[in-house]
Amino acid sequence: MRTSDVFGVSRTLNPCSYVDRANLDARLSRILNRDVHVALKGASKSGKSWLRQKVLGSANVVQCRLGKCVEDIYVEALGNLGVSIEISHEKKNQIKGTLDASGELGIKILAKLSGTLGMQIEHSDTSSIKNLYFNLDNLKFIADTINASGRRLVIEDFHYLDLEQRKQLAFDLKTLWDYGCFVAVVGIWSQSNLLTSLNPDLTGRIEEVSVFWNEEDLRKVVDKGCGYLNLQIDKTIIGDMINDSYGNVGILQKLLLHFIEDESGIEETSGVKIWLTDFSKYESAAKYYANQLNGLYQQLAKTLSRGIRKRAQSTGIYAITLQIIMDSDDKSLLDGISRDSIHEIAYTREPRIKKGNLRSVMRKLEELQLDDANRNLVLSYDESTDSMYAVDRQLLFYRKYLSVKWPWEEMYEDAVKESLFADLDECDA
């Protein structure tokens, strides 16, 4: 077995280094057998997708992006089933549109739902169904179509939806529950029972599951994978690896791959037990990984800087806010750095900054950091706690091993020279 078959970040589940944390597999399986929605939350690269694939292999998966609306989710979900839907609205809470179906699954589903559509449809392996007009209240047709497929709808990256779309989905989930269509929502958020807070009617209709890693779980990942490769890593090195992973299994997987294969030269299972004890090789692996991340975070810096410079007079406020966030210690970024804390520090540097102004800045930062594909969220603003979080824990690892001068440090200095600290009430935030 090759080392890369055992360790490393993979889009698909890798059984060689998959670990069932605190019997989470069985717990999630039990919940999925109940008549409830499931909310699966955890940090970026915490293994949410692997867990979902392990427990819920055959699913109808829809990925969210910034700017995506709830209707887009339904269109994509039905498209995955071979049913093309074009939605138009004429009345509130009413869905109208046109249906097309092609392929075995799509035709079979529409044939099954012909009574709902008010017409007779005959299932054919070779034909297609086009231009079926429908007028359905609420979400019954969406729910019936998903249920007819036998595949649970999974909405990934829920955190990319804006607040209004999150609220709409939370209310739709209550209606979908009424129609017996149960959904799994996956994403990054810190607040407990987020969806219930968005719609209290979901109480008792949704169960939230947190995906997190403690030291013992992470050690199991190391032990399991090393067992396949017939290796033993020094306990001190394992301890440093786990500390450097910041409770994130994705970071640990990359560190193991670089340390074992790239630095120690072990590419496959050994015929005899090998002990890895050279700490300098782990340091080299960690620095190599940090350098590999350099392009990602330098691009983040460029994307943020480009967006901030478009904010006209408010450039300085964005720059100082980012400075404070990025200079925060690891615990603050993991637990959340509050607007009060940011303002307390900012006020000592620039008294004209008002606490009320910072909320607009913190909200906008989430949008400004995203790339052209509306991905790569690193810092997230949580409305419920009024705090900023590092949702990509690789950032903490990156800044530990590389000394970085961020561009907003210079932007702040320029803003001071140019007196750009106008009140946000008077400028484009």
Side-chain angles (χ1 to χ4, degrees), residues 40-44 48 63-66 155-163 166 185-190 194 366 370 374-378 380-381 391:
L40 197 60
K41 71 170 185 176
S44 176
K48 300 184 298 296
Q63 297 279 346
C64 295
R65 299 286 189 276
L66 189 73
I155 301 173
E156 292 262 15
D157 295 333
F158 170 77
H159 51 280
Y160 281 113
L161 297 178
D162 65 32
L163 183 58
R166 293 179 201 175
V185 180
V186 184
I188 300 168
W189 62 86
S190 55
L194 172 62
E366 187 166 299
L370 300 178
N374 288 329
R375 296 302 303 270
N376 295 332
L377 186 65
V378 175
S380 179
Y381 173 62
V391 293

PDB file of all heavy atoms in Angstrom, residues 40-44 48 63-66 155-163 166 185-190 194 366 370 374-378 380-381 391:
ATOM      1  N   LEU A  40     -25.327  19.185  10.220  1.00  0.00           N
ATOM      2  CA  LEU A  40     -23.979  18.672  10.498  1.00  0.00           C
ATOM      3  C   LEU A  40     -23.010  19.842  10.426  1.00  0.00           C
ATOM      4  O   LEU A  40     -22.787  20.417   9.360  1.00  0.00           O
ATOM      5  CB  LEU A  40     -23.617  17.612   9.451  1.00  0.00           C
ATOM      6  CG  LEU A  40     -22.461  16.658   9.733  1.00  0.00           C
ATOM      7  CD1 LEU A  40     -22.722  15.850  10.986  1.00  0.00           C
ATOM      8  CD2 LEU A  40     -22.249  15.744   8.536  1.00  0.00           C
ATOM      9  N   LYS A  41     -22.451  20.228  11.580  1.00  0.00           N
ATOM     10  CA  LYS A  41     -21.580  21.403  11.603  1.00  0.00           C
ATOM     11  C   LYS A  41     -20.176  21.022  12.043  1.00  0.00           C
ATOM     12  O   LYS A  41     -19.967  20.062  12.795  1.00  0.00           O
ATOM     13  CB  LYS A  41     -22.140  22.477  12.536  1.00  0.00           C
ATOM     14  CG  LYS A  41     -22.053  22.140  14.022  1.00  0.00           C
ATOM     15  CD  LYS A  41     -22.400  23.357  14.863  1.00  0.00           C
ATOM     16  CE  LYS A  41     -22.197  23.074  16.349  1.00  0.00           C
ATOM     17  NZ  LYS A  41     -22.424  24.253  17.199  1.00  0.00           N
ATOM     18  N   GLY A  42     -19.190  21.789  11.559  1.00  0.00           N
ATOM     19  CA  GLY A  42     -17.802  21.552  11.925  1.00  0.00           C
ATOM     20  C   GLY A  42     -16.904  22.497  11.160  1.00  0.00           C
ATOM     21  O   GLY A  42     -17.319  23.090  10.160  1.00  0.00           O
ATOM     22  N   ALA A  43     -15.667  22.636  11.603  1.00  0.00           N
ATOM     23  CA  ALA A  43     -14.715  23.527  10.940  1.00  0.00           C
ATOM     24  C   ALA A  43     -14.378  23.016   9.544  1.00  0.00           C
ATOM     25  O   ALA A  43     -14.644  21.862   9.204  1.00  0.00           O
ATOM     26  CB  ALA A  43     -13.437  23.643  11.776  1.00  0.00           C
ATOM     27  N   SER A  44     -13.785  23.882   8.722  1.00  0.00           N
ATOM     28  CA  SER A  44     -13.333  23.487   7.396  1.00  0.00           C
ATOM     29  C   SER A  44     -12.337  22.336   7.507  1.00  0.00           C
ATOM     30  O   SER A  44     -11.453  22.349   8.360  1.00  0.00           O
ATOM     31  CB  SER A  44     -12.674  24.682   6.701  1.00  0.00           C
ATOM     32  OG  SER A  44     -12.144  24.324   5.453  1.00  0.00           O
ATOM     33  N   LYS A  48     -16.385  16.452   7.771  1.00  0.00           N
ATOM     34  CA  LYS A  48     -17.847  16.384   7.652  1.00  0.00           C
ATOM     35  C   LYS A  48     -18.264  15.586   6.422  1.00  0.00           C
ATOM     36  O   LYS A  48     -19.186  14.766   6.478  1.00  0.00           O
ATOM     37  CB  LYS A  48     -18.441  17.797   7.577  1.00  0.00           C
ATOM     38  CG  LYS A  48     -18.156  18.679   8.781  1.00  0.00           C
ATOM     39  CD  LYS A  48     -18.849  20.017   8.679  1.00  0.00           C
ATOM     40  CE  LYS A  48     -18.399  20.844   7.487  1.00  0.00           C
ATOM     41  NZ  LYS A  48     -16.982  21.239   7.548  1.00  0.00           N
ATOM     42  N   GLN A  63     -24.134  21.821  -3.615  1.00  0.00           N
ATOM     43  CA  GLN A  63     -23.131  22.696  -3.009  1.00  0.00           C
ATOM     44  C   GLN A  63     -23.603  24.142  -3.059  1.00  0.00           C
ATOM     45  O   GLN A  63     -24.034  24.625  -4.101  1.00  0.00           O
ATOM     46  CB  GLN A  63     -21.803  22.596  -3.768  1.00  0.00           C
ATOM     47  CG  GLN A  63     -21.157  21.229  -3.735  1.00  0.00           C
ATOM     48  CD  GLN A  63     -20.402  20.975  -2.447  1.00  0.00           C
ATOM     49  OE1 GLN A  63     -20.138  21.890  -1.674  1.00  0.00           O
ATOM     50  NE2 GLN A  63     -20.046  19.732  -2.205  1.00  0.00           N
ATOM     51  N   CYS A  64     -23.526  24.845  -1.930  1.00  0.00           N
ATOM     52  CA  CYS A  64     -23.875  26.267  -1.891  1.00  0.00           C
ATOM     53  C   CYS A  64     -22.672  27.116  -2.268  1.00  0.00           C
ATOM     54  O   CYS A  64     -21.524  26.722  -2.072  1.00  0.00           O
ATOM     55  CB  CYS A  64     -24.365  26.662  -0.501  1.00  0.00           C
ATOM     56  SG  CYS A  64     -25.910  25.873  -0.013  1.00  0.00           S
ATOM     57  N   ARG A  65     -22.948  28.293  -2.800  1.00  0.00           N
ATOM     58  CA  ARG A  65     -21.946  29.312  -3.094  1.00  0.00           C
ATOM     59  C   ARG A  65     -22.494  30.653  -2.626  1.00  0.00           C
ATOM     60  O   ARG A  65     -23.712  30.816  -2.506  1.00  0.00           O
ATOM     61  CB  ARG A  65     -21.637  29.399  -4.592  1.00  0.00           C
ATOM     62  CG  ARG A  65     -21.077  28.128  -5.209  1.00  0.00           C
ATOM     63  CD  ARG A  65     -19.628  27.909  -4.798  1.00  0.00           C
ATOM     64  NE  ARG A  65     -19.037  26.817  -5.548  1.00  0.00           N
ATOM     65  CZ  ARG A  65     -19.147  25.538  -5.225  1.00  0.00           C
ATOM     66  NH1 ARG A  65     -19.849  25.187  -4.163  1.00  0.00           N
ATOM     67  NH2 ARG A  65     -18.571  24.598  -5.952  1.00  0.00           N
ATOM     68  N   LEU A  66     -21.617  31.607  -2.401  1.00  0.00           N
ATOM     69  CA  LEU A  66     -22.082  32.941  -2.058  1.00  0.00           C
ATOM     70  C   LEU A  66     -22.905  33.474  -3.225  1.00  0.00           C
ATOM     71  O   LEU A  66     -22.513  33.350  -4.385  1.00  0.00           O
ATOM     72  CB  LEU A  66     -20.902  33.871  -1.789  1.00  0.00           C
ATOM     73  CG  LEU A  66     -21.280  35.239  -1.199  1.00  0.00           C
ATOM     74  CD1 LEU A  66     -21.705  35.075   0.251  1.00  0.00           C
ATOM     75  CD2 LEU A  66     -20.133  36.212  -1.296  1.00  0.00           C
ATOM     76  N   ILE A 155     -27.486  19.424   1.639  1.00  0.00           N
ATOM     77  CA  ILE A 155     -27.108  20.795   1.274  1.00  0.00           C
ATOM     78  C   ILE A 155     -25.768  21.086   1.938  1.00  0.00           C
ATOM     79  O   ILE A 155     -25.691  21.277   3.151  1.00  0.00           O
ATOM     80  CB  ILE A 155     -28.181  21.802   1.708  1.00  0.00           C
ATOM     81  CG1 ILE A 155     -29.514  21.460   1.036  1.00  0.00           C
ATOM     82  CG2 ILE A 155     -27.756  23.216   1.361  1.00  0.00           C
ATOM     83  CD1 ILE A 155     -30.682  22.301   1.532  1.00  0.00           C
ATOM     84  N   GLU A 156     -24.698  21.096   1.141  1.00  0.00           N
ATOM     85  CA  GLU A 156     -23.340  21.328   1.646  1.00  0.00           C
ATOM     86  C   GLU A 156     -23.019  22.825   1.646  1.00  0.00           C
ATOM     87  O   GLU A 156     -23.547  23.593   0.845  1.00  0.00           O
ATOM     88  CB  GLU A 156     -22.326  20.601   0.754  1.00  0.00           C
ATOM     89  CG  GLU A 156     -22.394  19.082   0.827  1.00  0.00           C
ATOM     90  CD  GLU A 156     -21.350  18.517   1.773  1.00  0.00           C
ATOM     91  OE1 GLU A 156     -20.786  19.301   2.572  1.00  0.00           O
ATOM     92  OE2 GLU A 156     -21.100  17.298   1.706  1.00  0.00           O
ATOM     93  N   ASP A 157     -22.105  23.217   2.549  1.00  0.00           N
ATOM     94  CA  ASP A 157     -21.602  24.597   2.620  1.00  0.00           C
ATOM     95  C   ASP A 157     -22.728  25.605   2.847  1.00  0.00           C
ATOM     96  O   ASP A 157     -22.786  26.672   2.215  1.00  0.00           O
ATOM     97  CB  ASP A 157     -20.810  24.957   1.365  1.00  0.00           C
ATOM     98  CG  ASP A 157     -19.548  24.136   1.219  1.00  0.00           C
ATOM     99  OD1 ASP A 157     -19.016  23.694   2.250  1.00  0.00           O
ATOM    100  OD2 ASP A 157     -19.077  23.931   0.090  1.00  0.00           O
ATOM    101  N   PHE A 158     -23.621  25.287   3.753  1.00  0.00           N
ATOM    102  CA  PHE A 158     -24.750  26.153   4.113  1.00  0.00           C
ATOM    103  C   PHE A 158     -24.287  27.564   4.479  1.00  0.00           C
ATOM    104  O   PHE A 158     -24.997  28.546   4.242  1.00  0.00           O
ATOM    105  CB  PHE A 158     -25.509  25.502   5.275  1.00  0.00           C
ATOM    106  CG  PHE A 158     -26.549  26.366   5.921  1.00  0.00           C
ATOM    107  CD1 PHE A 158     -27.772  26.573   5.315  1.00  0.00           C
ATOM    108  CD2 PHE A 158     -26.308  26.956   7.158  1.00  0.00           C
ATOM    109  CE1 PHE A 158     -28.740  27.361   5.922  1.00  0.00           C
ATOM    110  CE2 PHE A 158     -27.264  27.739   7.772  1.00  0.00           C
ATOM    111  CZ  PHE A 158     -28.488  27.946   7.157  1.00  0.00           C
ATOM    112  N   HIS A 159     -23.079  27.670   5.060  1.00  0.00           N
ATOM    113  CA  HIS A 159     -22.584  28.962   5.542  1.00  0.00           C
ATOM    114  C   HIS A 159     -22.360  29.977   4.433  1.00  0.00           C
ATOM    115  O   HIS A 159     -22.225  31.172   4.699  1.00  0.00           O
ATOM    116  CB  HIS A 159     -21.277  28.773   6.320  1.00  0.00           C
ATOM    117  CG  HIS A 159     -20.247  27.981   5.599  1.00  0.00           C
ATOM    118  ND1 HIS A 159     -20.277  26.609   5.546  1.00  0.00           N
ATOM    119  CD2 HIS A 159     -19.160  28.363   4.883  1.00  0.00           C
ATOM    120  CE1 HIS A 159     -19.248  26.184   4.841  1.00  0.00           C
ATOM    121  NE2 HIS A 159     -18.561  27.216   4.424  1.00  0.00           N
ATOM    122  N   TYR A 160     -22.306  29.522   3.159  1.00  0.00           N
ATOM    123  CA  TYR A 160     -22.116  30.465   2.065  1.00  0.00           C
ATOM    124  C   TYR A 160     -23.398  31.217   1.705  1.00  0.00           C
ATOM    125  O   TYR A 160     -23.346  32.218   0.993  1.00  0.00           O
ATOM    126  CB  TYR A 160     -21.580  29.744   0.821  1.00  0.00           C
ATOM    127  CG  TYR A 160     -20.108  29.460   0.888  1.00  0.00           C
ATOM    128  CD1 TYR A 160     -19.635  28.155   0.968  1.00  0.00           C
ATOM    129  CD2 TYR A 160     -19.176  30.491   0.889  1.00  0.00           C
ATOM    130  CE1 TYR A 160     -18.275  27.889   1.036  1.00  0.00           C
ATOM    131  CE2 TYR A 160     -17.822  30.234   0.964  1.00  0.00           C
ATOM    132  CZ  TYR A 160     -17.377  28.934   1.038  1.00  0.00           C
ATOM    133  OH  TYR A 160     -16.019  28.673   1.112  1.00  0.00           O
ATOM    134  N   LEU A 161     -24.546  30.747   2.153  1.00  0.00           N
ATOM    135  CA  LEU A 161     -25.785  31.476   1.911  1.00  0.00           C
ATOM    136  C   LEU A 161     -25.807  32.735   2.782  1.00  0.00           C
ATOM    137  O   LEU A 161     -25.352  32.713   3.927  1.00  0.00           O
ATOM    138  CB  LEU A 161     -26.999  30.616   2.262  1.00  0.00           C
ATOM    139  CG  LEU A 161     -27.214  29.333   1.452  1.00  0.00           C
ATOM    140  CD1 LEU A 161     -28.439  28.596   1.982  1.00  0.00           C
ATOM    141  CD2 LEU A 161     -27.353  29.627  -0.030  1.00  0.00           C
ATOM    142  N   ASP A 162     -26.355  33.829   2.246  1.00  0.00           N
ATOM    143  CA  ASP A 162     -26.456  35.024   3.085  1.00  0.00           C
ATOM    144  C   ASP A 162     -27.575  34.831   4.105  1.00  0.00           C
ATOM    145  O   ASP A 162     -28.343  33.868   4.053  1.00  0.00           O
ATOM    146  CB  ASP A 162     -26.642  36.295   2.255  1.00  0.00           C
ATOM    147  CG  ASP A 162     -27.964  36.330   1.494  1.00  0.00           C
ATOM    148  OD1 ASP A 162     -28.966  35.785   1.987  1.00  0.00           O
ATOM    149  OD2 ASP A 162     -27.993  36.909   0.396  1.00  0.00           O
ATOM    150  N   LEU A 163     -27.655  35.747   5.057  1.00  0.00           N
ATOM    151  CA  LEU A 163     -28.550  35.568   6.200  1.00  0.00           C
ATOM    152  C   LEU A 163     -30.003  35.392   5.766  1.00  0.00           C
ATOM    153  O   LEU A 163     -30.721  34.538   6.295  1.00  0.00           O
ATOM    154  CB  LEU A 163     -28.421  36.757   7.157  1.00  0.00           C
ATOM    155  CG  LEU A 163     -29.253  36.682   8.438  1.00  0.00           C
ATOM    156  CD1 LEU A 163     -28.894  35.443   9.242  1.00  0.00           C
ATOM    157  CD2 LEU A 163     -29.072  37.944   9.269  1.00  0.00           C
ATOM    158  N   ARG A 166     -30.520  31.952   4.379  1.00  0.00           N
ATOM    159  CA  ARG A 166     -30.498  30.968   5.460  1.00  0.00           C
ATOM    160  C   ARG A 166     -31.861  30.922   6.154  1.00  0.00           C
ATOM    161  O   ARG A 166     -32.380  29.853   6.475  1.00  0.00           O
ATOM    162  CB  ARG A 166     -29.414  31.322   6.487  1.00  0.00           C
ATOM    163  CG  ARG A 166     -27.994  31.204   5.982  1.00  0.00           C
ATOM    164  CD  ARG A 166     -27.022  31.591   7.075  1.00  0.00           C
ATOM    165  NE  ARG A 166     -25.723  31.964   6.541  1.00  0.00           N
ATOM    166  CZ  ARG A 166     -24.725  32.426   7.264  1.00  0.00           C
ATOM    167  NH1 ARG A 166     -24.866  32.572   8.571  1.00  0.00           N
ATOM    168  NH2 ARG A 166     -23.564  32.749   6.707  1.00  0.00           N
ATOM    169  N   VAL A 185     -28.264  19.213   6.309  1.00  0.00           N
ATOM    170  CA  VAL A 185     -27.618  20.505   6.060  1.00  0.00           C
ATOM    171  C   VAL A 185     -26.225  20.458   6.664  1.00  0.00           C
ATOM    172  O   VAL A 185     -26.068  20.160   7.853  1.00  0.00           O
ATOM    173  CB  VAL A 185     -28.438  21.663   6.674  1.00  0.00           C
ATOM    174  CG1 VAL A 185     -27.750  22.994   6.406  1.00  0.00           C
ATOM    175  CG2 VAL A 185     -29.852  21.671   6.113  1.00  0.00           C
ATOM    176  N   VAL A 186     -25.210  20.759   5.850  1.00  0.00           N
ATOM    177  CA  VAL A 186     -23.818  20.647   6.283  1.00  0.00           C
ATOM    178  C   VAL A 186     -23.143  22.006   6.149  1.00  0.00           C
ATOM    179  O   VAL A 186     -23.299  22.682   5.118  1.00  0.00           O
ATOM    180  CB  VAL A 186     -23.051  19.607   5.434  1.00  0.00           C
ATOM    181  CG1 VAL A 186     -21.633  19.424   5.954  1.00  0.00           C
ATOM    182  CG2 VAL A 186     -23.789  18.273   5.403  1.00  0.00           C
ATOM    183  N   GLY A 187     -22.391  22.429   7.160  1.00  0.00           N
ATOM    184  CA  GLY A 187     -21.711  23.715   7.040  1.00  0.00           C
ATOM    185  C   GLY A 187     -20.862  24.058   8.244  1.00  0.00           C
ATOM    186  O   GLY A 187     -20.661  23.247   9.150  1.00  0.00           O
ATOM    187  N   ILE A 188     -20.364  25.279   8.205  1.00  0.00           N
ATOM    188  CA  ILE A 188     -19.485  25.806   9.249  1.00  0.00           C
ATOM    189  C   ILE A 188     -20.224  26.897   9.994  1.00  0.00           C
ATOM    190  O   ILE A 188     -20.599  27.912   9.404  1.00  0.00           O
ATOM    191  CB  ILE A 188     -18.200  26.395   8.632  1.00  0.00           C
ATOM    192  CG1 ILE A 188     -17.427  25.318   7.853  1.00  0.00           C
ATOM    193  CG2 ILE A 188     -17.316  27.012   9.701  1.00  0.00           C
ATOM    194  CD1 ILE A 188     -16.320  25.898   6.984  1.00  0.00           C
ATOM    195  N   TRP A 189     -20.486  26.675  11.259  1.00  0.00           N
ATOM    196  CA  TRP A 189     -21.030  27.723  12.110  1.00  0.00           C
ATOM    197  C   TRP A 189     -20.699  27.384  13.549  1.00  0.00           C
ATOM    198  O   TRP A 189     -20.414  26.241  13.879  1.00  0.00           O
ATOM    199  CB  TRP A 189     -22.532  27.906  11.901  1.00  0.00           C
ATOM    200  CG  TRP A 189     -23.404  26.743  12.219  1.00  0.00           C
ATOM    201  CD1 TRP A 189     -23.930  26.397  13.442  1.00  0.00           C
ATOM    202  CD2 TRP A 189     -23.901  25.746  11.302  1.00  0.00           C
ATOM    203  NE1 TRP A 189     -24.698  25.263  13.340  1.00  0.00           N
ATOM    204  CE2 TRP A 189     -24.714  24.847  12.029  1.00  0.00           C
ATOM    205  CE3 TRP A 189     -23.744  25.539   9.928  1.00  0.00           C
ATOM    206  CZ2 TRP A 189     -25.349  23.760  11.444  1.00  0.00           C
ATOM    207  CZ3 TRP A 189     -24.372  24.456   9.348  1.00  0.00           C
ATOM    208  CH2 TRP A 189     -25.168  23.581  10.089  1.00  0.00           C
ATOM    209  N   SER A 190     -20.703  28.382  14.398  1.00  0.00           N
ATOM    210  CA  SER A 190     -20.304  28.189  15.790  1.00  0.00           C
ATOM    211  C   SER A 190     -21.491  28.113  16.733  1.00  0.00           C
ATOM    212  O   SER A 190     -21.442  27.445  17.766  1.00  0.00           O
ATOM    213  CB  SER A 190     -19.370  29.330  16.232  1.00  0.00           C
ATOM    214  OG  SER A 190     -20.000  30.576  16.011  1.00  0.00           O
ATOM    215  N   LEU A 194     -28.297  26.510  15.245  1.00  0.00           N
ATOM    216  CA  LEU A 194     -28.431  27.697  14.402  1.00  0.00           C
ATOM    217  C   LEU A 194     -29.750  27.712  13.642  1.00  0.00           C
ATOM    218  O   LEU A 194     -30.457  28.726  13.611  1.00  0.00           O
ATOM    219  CB  LEU A 194     -27.257  27.759  13.417  1.00  0.00           C
ATOM    220  CG  LEU A 194     -27.330  28.835  12.335  1.00  0.00           C
ATOM    221  CD1 LEU A 194     -27.346  30.224  12.956  1.00  0.00           C
ATOM    222  CD2 LEU A 194     -26.172  28.700  11.357  1.00  0.00           C
ATOM    223  N   GLU A 366     -16.526  39.120   5.027  1.00  0.00           N
ATOM    224  CA  GLU A 366     -16.804  37.753   4.607  1.00  0.00           C
ATOM    225  C   GLU A 366     -16.964  37.678   3.097  1.00  0.00           C
ATOM    226  O   GLU A 366     -16.478  36.759   2.443  1.00  0.00           O
ATOM    227  CB  GLU A 366     -18.067  37.254   5.301  1.00  0.00           C
ATOM    228  CG  GLU A 366     -18.345  35.788   5.060  1.00  0.00           C
ATOM    229  CD  GLU A 366     -19.381  35.231   6.012  1.00  0.00           C
ATOM    230  OE1 GLU A 366     -19.139  35.249   7.244  1.00  0.00           O
ATOM    231  OE2 GLU A 366     -20.436  34.767   5.527  1.00  0.00           O
ATOM    232  N   LEU A 370     -13.751  36.229  -0.681  1.00  0.00           N
ATOM    233  CA  LEU A 370     -14.031  35.091  -1.545  1.00  0.00           C
ATOM    234  C   LEU A 370     -13.454  35.284  -2.938  1.00  0.00           C
ATOM    235  O   LEU A 370     -13.395  36.389  -3.467  1.00  0.00           O
ATOM    236  CB  LEU A 370     -15.540  34.850  -1.640  1.00  0.00           C
ATOM    237  CG  LEU A 370     -16.211  34.549  -0.299  1.00  0.00           C
ATOM    238  CD1 LEU A 370     -17.701  34.363  -0.479  1.00  0.00           C
ATOM    239  CD2 LEU A 370     -15.603  33.315   0.347  1.00  0.00           C
ATOM    240  N   ASN A 374     -16.420  32.220  -5.632  1.00  0.00           N
ATOM    241  CA  ASN A 374     -17.144  32.400  -4.376  1.00  0.00           C
ATOM    242  C   ASN A 374     -16.842  31.304  -3.363  1.00  0.00           C
ATOM    243  O   ASN A 374     -17.718  30.813  -2.649  1.00  0.00           O
ATOM    244  CB  ASN A 374     -18.659  32.483  -4.624  1.00  0.00           C
ATOM    245  CG  ASN A 374     -19.058  33.781  -5.288  1.00  0.00           C
ATOM    246  OD1 ASN A 374     -18.418  34.804  -5.078  1.00  0.00           O
ATOM    247  ND2 ASN A 374     -20.092  33.742  -6.103  1.00  0.00           N
ATOM    248  N   ARG A 375     -15.562  30.892  -3.306  1.00  0.00           N
ATOM    249  CA  ARG A 375     -15.134  29.890  -2.344  1.00  0.00           C
ATOM    250  C   ARG A 375     -13.956  30.434  -1.542  1.00  0.00           C
ATOM    251  O   ARG A 375     -13.584  31.575  -1.661  1.00  0.00           O
ATOM    252  CB  ARG A 375     -14.730  28.597  -3.069  1.00  0.00           C
ATOM    253  CG  ARG A 375     -15.840  27.903  -3.818  1.00  0.00           C
ATOM    254  CD  ARG A 375     -17.017  27.528  -2.943  1.00  0.00           C
ATOM    255  NE  ARG A 375     -16.658  26.679  -1.827  1.00  0.00           N
ATOM    256  CZ  ARG A 375     -16.649  25.356  -1.887  1.00  0.00           C
ATOM    257  NH1 ARG A 375     -16.967  24.732  -2.972  1.00  0.00           N
ATOM    258  NH2 ARG A 375     -16.330  24.648  -0.821  1.00  0.00           N
ATOM    259  N   ASN A 376     -13.365  29.540  -0.735  1.00  0.00           N
ATOM    260  CA  ASN A 376     -12.179  29.849   0.075  1.00  0.00           C
ATOM    261  C   ASN A 376     -12.469  30.830   1.205  1.00  0.00           C
ATOM    262  O   ASN A 376     -11.742  31.794   1.418  1.00  0.00           O
ATOM    263  CB  ASN A 376     -11.034  30.377  -0.805  1.00  0.00           C
ATOM    264  CG  ASN A 376     -10.538  29.334  -1.778  1.00  0.00           C
ATOM    265  OD1 ASN A 376     -10.616  28.148  -1.520  1.00  0.00           O
ATOM    266  ND2 ASN A 376     -10.057  29.783  -2.919  1.00  0.00           N
ATOM    267  N   LEU A 377     -13.541  30.574   1.933  1.00  0.00           N
ATOM    268  CA  LEU A 377     -13.842  31.362   3.115  1.00  0.00           C
ATOM    269  C   LEU A 377     -12.836  31.026   4.213  1.00  0.00           C
ATOM    270  O   LEU A 377     -12.656  29.864   4.555  1.00  0.00           O
ATOM    271  CB  LEU A 377     -15.265  31.062   3.586  1.00  0.00           C
ATOM    272  CG  LEU A 377     -15.804  31.898   4.746  1.00  0.00           C
ATOM    273  CD1 LEU A 377     -15.935  33.360   4.331  1.00  0.00           C
ATOM    274  CD2 LEU A 377     -17.160  31.357   5.190  1.00  0.00           C
ATOM    275  N   VAL A 378     -12.180  32.033   4.756  1.00  0.00           N
ATOM    276  CA  VAL A 378     -11.172  31.848   5.798  1.00  0.00           C
ATOM    277  C   VAL A 378     -11.636  32.457   7.120  1.00  0.00           C
ATOM    278  O   VAL A 378     -11.521  31.852   8.179  1.00  0.00           O
ATOM    279  CB  VAL A 378      -9.826  32.475   5.367  1.00  0.00           C
ATOM    280  CG1 VAL A 378      -8.803  32.400   6.500  1.00  0.00           C
ATOM    281  CG2 VAL A 378      -9.297  31.785   4.122  1.00  0.00           C
ATOM    282  N   SER A 380     -14.951  34.211   9.123  1.00  0.00           N
ATOM    283  CA  SER A 380     -16.411  34.270   9.033  1.00  0.00           C
ATOM    284  C   SER A 380     -16.974  35.121  10.166  1.00  0.00           C
ATOM    285  O   SER A 380     -16.488  35.062  11.297  1.00  0.00           O
ATOM    286  CB  SER A 380     -16.997  32.859   9.104  1.00  0.00           C
ATOM    287  OG  SER A 380     -18.403  32.894   9.036  1.00  0.00           O
ATOM    288  N   TYR A 381     -18.002  35.899   9.829  1.00  0.00           N
ATOM    289  CA  TYR A 381     -18.688  36.716  10.832  1.00  0.00           C
ATOM    290  C   TYR A 381     -19.970  36.018  11.249  1.00  0.00           C
ATOM    291  O   TYR A 381     -20.794  35.652  10.414  1.00  0.00           O
ATOM    292  CB  TYR A 381     -19.016  38.097  10.267  1.00  0.00           C
ATOM    293  CG  TYR A 381     -19.862  38.948  11.187  1.00  0.00           C
ATOM    294  CD1 TYR A 381     -19.396  39.321  12.445  1.00  0.00           C
ATOM    295  CD2 TYR A 381     -21.144  39.362  10.797  1.00  0.00           C
ATOM    296  CE1 TYR A 381     -20.164  40.095  13.292  1.00  0.00           C
ATOM    297  CE2 TYR A 381     -21.919  40.146  11.641  1.00  0.00           C
ATOM    298  CZ  TYR A 381     -21.430  40.510  12.884  1.00  0.00           C
ATOM    299  OH  TYR A 381     -22.208  41.268  13.728  1.00  0.00           O
ATOM    300  N   VAL A 391     -12.454  30.145  10.245  1.00  0.00           N
ATOM    301  CA  VAL A 391     -13.107  28.876   9.901  1.00  0.00           C
ATOM    302  C   VAL A 391     -12.161  27.971   9.122  1.00  0.00           C
ATOM    303  O   VAL A 391     -12.439  26.788   8.944  1.00  0.00           O
ATOM    304  CB  VAL A 391     -14.405  29.117   9.090  1.00  0.00           C
ATOM    305  CG1 VAL A 391     -15.437  29.798   9.968  1.00  0.00           C
ATOM    306  CG2 VAL A 391     -14.142  29.921   7.831  1.00  0.00           C
TER     307      VAL A 391
END
